[in-house]
Amino acid sequence: MLSFRCQLVFVAVILTWWSHTPSTFADVNFTKEIAPIIFENCATCHRPGEAAPFPLLTYADVQERGDLIADVVKQRLMPPWKAEPADYPFLYERRLSKDQIELITNWVDQGMPEGNAADLPALPEFASGWTLGEPDLVVSMKQPYRVPADGPDIYRNFTIPLDLTEEHFIAAIAFRPSARSVVHHSLFFFDATGRGRELEAEDDEPGFKGGMGAMMKLRGSPVPPQAFDDPETAPKRSPLGKRATPGAPAFGALGGWALGAQPHLLPNGLAYRVPAGSDLILATHFHPSGKAEEETSTVGIYFAKKPSNRRFMPIQLPPAFGAFKGIDIPPGEKEYVIEDTFVLPVDVEAFGVGAHAHYLGKSMTLTATLPDGTRRTILSIPDWDFAWQEQYRFAEFAKLPKGTRLHSRITYDNSKDNPRNPSDPPARVHFGEESTDEMGSISLMTLAADESELPLLQSAYRTHFRSALLKSPLSKLFQGRLEAE
């Protein structure tokens, strides 16, 4: 039998648990409990001028859609955050806690009382409509691009002059589409070769055709862009007449935007180095919505306060979004798998991770097996959704020692049980750029822990990329170029 003292402790524990369990809150109201959750997790997108279809800024806004909100948060459809908690915690996480979800459902069940106006928190401040504040440089597409009401998906590239007279370092890019209903995502590149301008001048419509194929055409090679960090192959002068920084690439990636994603500054002073005379290339994926639209994208650029002396690179597994994997998914297949592995040749620090696939994508996993055998999960998305593609940033740099084995595993569901399957009945699907095709990869953003060892990391990844290409049917297309390198 418990002693009297133990009984008192037990009762105290039960009372404490009772008083902190949301399901027992007798009076959940909007101003005190619900508004802080909505303002912090929903208002960024659910406000005028942003992607969400309706605002959630007032009691009336939220009360009108209370049942819908309770339903989508219970299913974790909203806020859009597909990654499960992993071994390296994420920053800016929009994943509601179980307590927050229970508060919302209880509030709806209780008739959605408003509460005391004095308890209502202030709305978040969004400076000039830009989440990160006023950009250092704002540029827009030169002409609107017309997206038809229907038809296949469109991949279109747009060249925007930046008029930079000297080298700059970019810490963040904010993307603002004008026709949000048709813009699925946009990837950003800098181009100091002038090739983007040439391709756009050859096309009768604004921009020029192509997705990754066009990017390859711009680079002039199937090799990964960081290969141009090699001083022996880097251009000495860009065709735009500006002297290139020795060892600096003339073309490279600057990140991207997808529906639901928010811009963030790169961590710890990291920045993209952009040569003088560079143009910005927007590689945009349009998805016709049933209504003809005109898109004029606007981009806000945030320069770093000082040059970054650290370089970073993505490790994409498998490379080239899975183009070399021979993706061929039979109709009815519920668990089609592609995998890739890469062993780190040096100590690495990672600051972010992202994934990409289309409608048949089912799950995404990236793990790290450390040299001592410890296995850690870097990214786990058990319910992939093409509509929500986040770039996840780690709360702290993930330290991965030399010899760590990275392993990516991507699964696809081409059965009729997949509610996102665009084909009814299911059809055979191969690799391709259309949304109804498939691709897949997970990219880890990394830098060498010792900057002097970055060339070793780049060289090892180039070898991995080249090996994957040589094993694929695509290698025949580039045989001559590969033999020449």
Side-chain angles (χ1 to χ4, degrees):
M1 178 177 293
L2 294 174
S3 67
F4 179 69
R5 182 184 177 86
C6 287
Q7 292 180 49
L8 286 178
V9 171
F10 178 74
V11 170
V13 169
I14 291 296
L15 289 175
T16 301
W17 173 82
W18 183 269
S19 65
H20 287 83
T21 302
S23 62
T24 66
F25 284 1
D27 299 309
V28 182
N29 63 61
F30 175 78
T31 56
K32 195 170 184 179
E33 285 89 12
I34 303 304
I37 300 173
I38 299 294
F39 290 175
E40 180 179 351
N41 297 282
C42 311
T44 300
C45 294
H46 284 272
R47 60 190 172 100
E50 293 300 324
F54 50 82
L56 291 176
L57 300 177
T58 67
Y59 168 73
D61 293 338
V62 180
Q63 189 267 344
E64 181 181 356
R65 294 178 170 83
D67 291 330
L68 172 65
I69 293 170
D71 185 46
V72 296
V73 299
K74 277 195 295 187
Q75 297 185 58
R76 291 203 177 278
L77 298 177
M78 287 286 159
W81 183 269
K82 304 301 293 183
E84 289 198 324
D87 289 318
Y88 301 96
F90 298 118
L91 271 179
Y92 317 115
E93 188 168 336
R94 297 191 304 274
R95 183 182 176 87
L96 296 186
S97 68
K98 291 182 180 178
D99 287 353
Q100 289 174 316
I101 293 173
E102 196 163 354
L103 272 173
I104 292 172
T105 55
N106 280 0
W107 176 66
V108 172
D109 290 343
Q110 292 171 19
M112 296 180 275
E114 182 171 7
N116 189 337
D119 293 330
L120 184 67
L123 279 169
E125 293 185 5
F126 301 104
S128 305
W130 297 94
T131 306
L132 296 178
E134 199 63 33
D136 297 305
L137 176 64
V138 178
V139 294
S140 298
M141 286 167 49
K142 293 174 287 187
Q143 303 176 61
Y145 178 71
R146 186 179 185 279
V147 181
D150 49 36
D153 287 7
I154 300 168
Y155 290 84
R156 196 78 181 170
N157 305 290
F158 305 96
T159 304
I160 302 177
L162 296 177
D163 298 324
L164 301 178
T165 57
E166 58 185 18
E167 180 181 73
H168 278 67
F169 288 80
I170 293 178
I173 293 179
F175 178 78
R176 297 181 69 85
S178 64
R180 291 177 177 274
S181 62
V182 296
V183 179
H184 181 267
H185 73 259
S186 186
L187 301 178
F188 316 141
F189 300 86
F190 68 85
D191 172 33
T193 71
R195 183 61 177 144
R197 294 189 186 196
E198 293 174 1
L199 291 171
E200 185 147 347
E202 295 169 1
D203 203 296
D204 294 334
E205 295 185 82
F208 57 95
K209 293 180 180 177
M212 290 196 311
M215 291 303 104
M216 198 176 290
K217 196 171 182 180
L218 275 168
R219 290 199 297 262
S221 169
V223 298
Q226 58 265 30
F228 291 111
D229 278 350
D230 183 345
E232 295 183 0
T233 59
K236 302 299 183 292
R237 182 181 291 274
S238 82
L240 300 182
K242 302 297 180 182
R243 182 173 296 281
T245 302
F251 178 87
L254 296 171
W257 173 92
L259 190 62
Q262 297 295 324
H264 300 295
L265 296 168
L266 287 166
N268 289 25
L270 294 176
Y272 295 103
R273 183 168 58 182
V274 176
S278 292
D279 293 327
L280 175 68
I281 306 289
L282 302 180
T284 303
H285 174 186
F286 295 103
H287 189 63
S289 64
K291 174 187 174 185
E293 299 270 11
E294 286 194 341
E295 168 61 17
T296 307
S297 305
T298 297
V299 174
I301 297 176
Y302 300 82
F303 295 124
K305 301 303 179 188
K306 58 182 181 181
S308 172
N309 58 5
R310 299 295 303 276
R311 293 174 293 168
F312 52 93
M313 59 173 281
I315 296 177
Q316 189 185 60
L317 302 176
F321 297 96
F324 311 144
K325 282 292 182 181
I327 291 176
D328 179 5
I329 311 175
E333 174 62 58
K334 294 178 69 70
E335 188 79 4
Y336 185 87
V337 180
I338 63 171
E339 298 177 276
D340 197 19
T341 297
F342 178 71
V343 178
L344 298 176
V346 301
D347 292 347
V348 158
E349 296 177 349
F351 61 89
V353 64
H356 181 70
H358 294 167
Y359 290 113
L360 300 187
K362 180 180 177 182
S363 67
M364 300 274 189
T365 308
L366 180 66
T367 59
T369 302
L370 308 188
D372 65 2
T374 304
R375 185 174 181 273
R376 292 178 177 167
T377 299
I378 297 175
L379 179 69
S380 174
I381 301 177
D383 180 29
W384 170 257
D385 188 338
F386 179 52
W388 303 112
Q389 302 185 40
E390 186 81 24
Q391 297 297 313
Y392 302 96
R393 186 75 56 81
F394 302 127
E396 297 180 357
F397 278 69
K399 298 183 183 301
L400 302 171
K402 175 183 178 179
T404 294
R405 179 177 179 270
L406 299 175
H407 178 74
S408 69
R409 187 174 192 273
I410 301 168
T411 68
Y412 303 84
D413 181 353
N414 192 15
S415 74
K416 60 181 176 56
D417 296 332
N418 178 359
R420 303 184 182 104
N421 195 332
S423 299
D424 184 17
R428 182 174 289 275
V429 173
H430 298 91
F431 176 87
E433 294 183 342
E434 296 291 336
S435 296
T436 50
D437 301 324
E438 267 307 335
M439 56 176 62
S441 65
I442 301 175
S443 297
L444 185 67
M445 299 302 297
T446 66
L447 59 161
D450 181 343
E451 173 72 12
S452 68
E453 293 187 327
L454 181 66
L456 294 176
L457 180 61
Q458 292 174 321
S459 176
Y461 185 72
R462 281 201 300 273
T463 299
H464 181 74
F465 188 103
R466 183 186 178 93
S467 175
L469 172 58
L470 288 173
K471 293 175 183 175
S472 80
L474 287 175
S475 63
K476 296 178 182 177
L477 299 175
F478 302 104
Q479 198 61 43
R481 189 188 299 275
L482 290 169
E483 290 173 351
E485 291 176 354

